[in-house]
Amino acid sequence: MSFSILFFLILITMATADPLRPGYYSETCPEAESIVGDVIMKAMIREPRSGASVMRFQFHDCFVNVTTGCDASMLLDDTPTMLGEKLSLSNINSLRSYEVIDEVKEALEKACPGTVSCADIIIMASRDAVALSGGPRWEVKLGRKDSLTASQKAADDIMPSPRANASFLVDLFAKFDLSIKDLVALSGSHSIGQGRCFSIMFRLYNQSGSGKPDPAIEPKFREKLNRLCPIGGDENVTVDLDATPQAFDNQYFKDLVAGRGFLNSDETLYTYPWTRPYVKLYSNDQDKFFKAFVEGMIKLGDLQSGKPGEIRTNCRVVNSRAVDVLLES
């Protein structure tokens, strides 16, 4: 075994040793969290929609199969030998603002080279996007490492469709030891942002193959959606996910109770008996929603693979081909 491969073996072995904890960078990069917050704030001033986009990165990263967890695999660009997650069904034409994470990483590399992982950047940036949108702020556990690979198939196999119903989502979240309470609270991430007409055309015009709209949609809201998303129209047109799309609040749940949920996966949280009590609770009590959302985000952030990792210097690519040699040996 060559010295370079041995070096990477030692480096990667060490990279799996530390448990997640608050204040992980207090000595190695004490300004890390403030640097992340500053970049996210500037990005949201420049483009308000980036807050919702960045916040969703945590779900799309941590949720990609039980064996991967929060490892920034979703940030890797495709290579000639690897199809990554950016073009997966749940991410293509949906996730955006990757450049914001690039800006954060560039700022951190200037301050503390080779220290802060892209996986931790996602966790901090998601928290800051929520807080800067009027939602809660919480202490995050850090110390993750970045994956050495990504898989489009893994993303396609696990990420739920906007057509999913609450029953399916309950079972899916249970695979990650996330409760019904966690599911409903984390769905409140749709308190900010927009969705594409593409995601609801079946609800408006052919729910369950009936040739009719979803009867759960409130009539006046359906008329509005019909105008914004007509048959034969541009399905990339975006529509607000709730009535206050730039404010992280409990309006999302109030809208579900009123039959004004945008996605099928949203509205069925109210029509499904197991999830309805939490929707009603959070629609009436924003503080309880915030508390449950924070608990859910922390649990989501705890999902780890235990696989070897590294600290990428560029979130879009692994650091060295030597890693590939090691994995193939």
Side-chain angles (χ1 to χ4, degrees), residues 135-186:
R137 181 179 177 84
W138 61 95
E139 187 174 56
V140 292
K141 291 185 281 186
L142 304 170
R144 296 164 190 82
K145 297 301 181 285
D146 300 323
S147 69
L148 306 178
T149 188
S151 170
Q152 183 180 119
K153 184 178 185 302
D156 286 339
D157 286 347
I158 197 66
M159 293 302 294
S161 160
R163 297 189 181 200
N165 59 37
S167 175
F168 172 85
L169 293 173
V170 167
D171 292 341
L172 177 63
F173 273 59
K175 294 178 181 178
F176 298 85
D177 292 325
L178 294 169
S179 67
I180 293 175
K181 177 183 177 182
D182 296 326
L183 162 63
V184 178
L186 289 172

Side-chain angles (χ1 to χ4, degrees), residues 219-235:
K220 289 186 178 179
F221 184 59
R222 187 178 69 241
E223 291 175 6
K224 174 185 175 181
L225 294 178
N226 286 340
R227 290 193 300 270
L228 293 170
C229 305
I231 294 177
D234 182 358
E235 295 187 4

Side-chain angles (χ1 to χ4, degrees), residues 81-220:
T81 59
M82 183 198 75
L83 287 178
E85 299 165 26
K86 289 183 176 179
L87 298 182
S88 67
L89 295 174
S90 60
N91 295 345
I92 189 172
N93 296 324
S94 177
L95 288 189
R96 53 199 295 279
S97 298
Y98 294 105
E99 72 282 354
V100 175
I101 302 300
D102 293 337
E103 292 174 22
V104 174
K105 184 60 173 174
E106 182 179 358
L108 286 168
E109 285 298 306
K110 289 180 180 178
C112 317
T115 302
V116 182
S117 69
C118 301
D120 278 345
I121 289 173
I122 289 175
I123 298 297
M124 289 184 280
S126 296
R127 183 268 311 273
D128 292 339
V130 171
L132 290 167
S133 299
R137 181 179 177 84
W138 61 95
E139 187 174 56
V140 292
K141 291 185 281 186
L142 304 170
R144 296 164 190 82
K145 297 301 181 285
D146 300 323
S147 69
L148 306 178
T149 188
S151 170
Q152 183 180 119
K153 184 178 185 302
D156 286 339
D157 286 347
I158 197 66
M159 293 302 294
S161 160
R163 297 189 181 200
N165 59 37
S167 175
F168 172 85
L169 293 173
V170 167
D171 292 341
L172 177 63
F173 273 59
K175 294 178 181 178
F176 298 85
D177 292 325
L178 294 169
S179 67
I180 293 175
K181 177 183 177 182
D182 296 326
L183 162 63
V184 178
L186 289 172
S187 295
S189 64
H190 287 173
S191 169
I192 57 175
Q194 298 179 317
R196 292 187 300 148
C197 287
F198 170 82
S199 300
I200 61 162
M201 296 302 288
F202 75 99
R203 284 194 76 205
L204 291 177
Y205 304 108
N206 192 29
Q207 177 77 330
S208 301
S210 66
K212 299 178 181 180
D214 181 356
I217 306 176
E218 191 271 327
K220 289 186 178 179

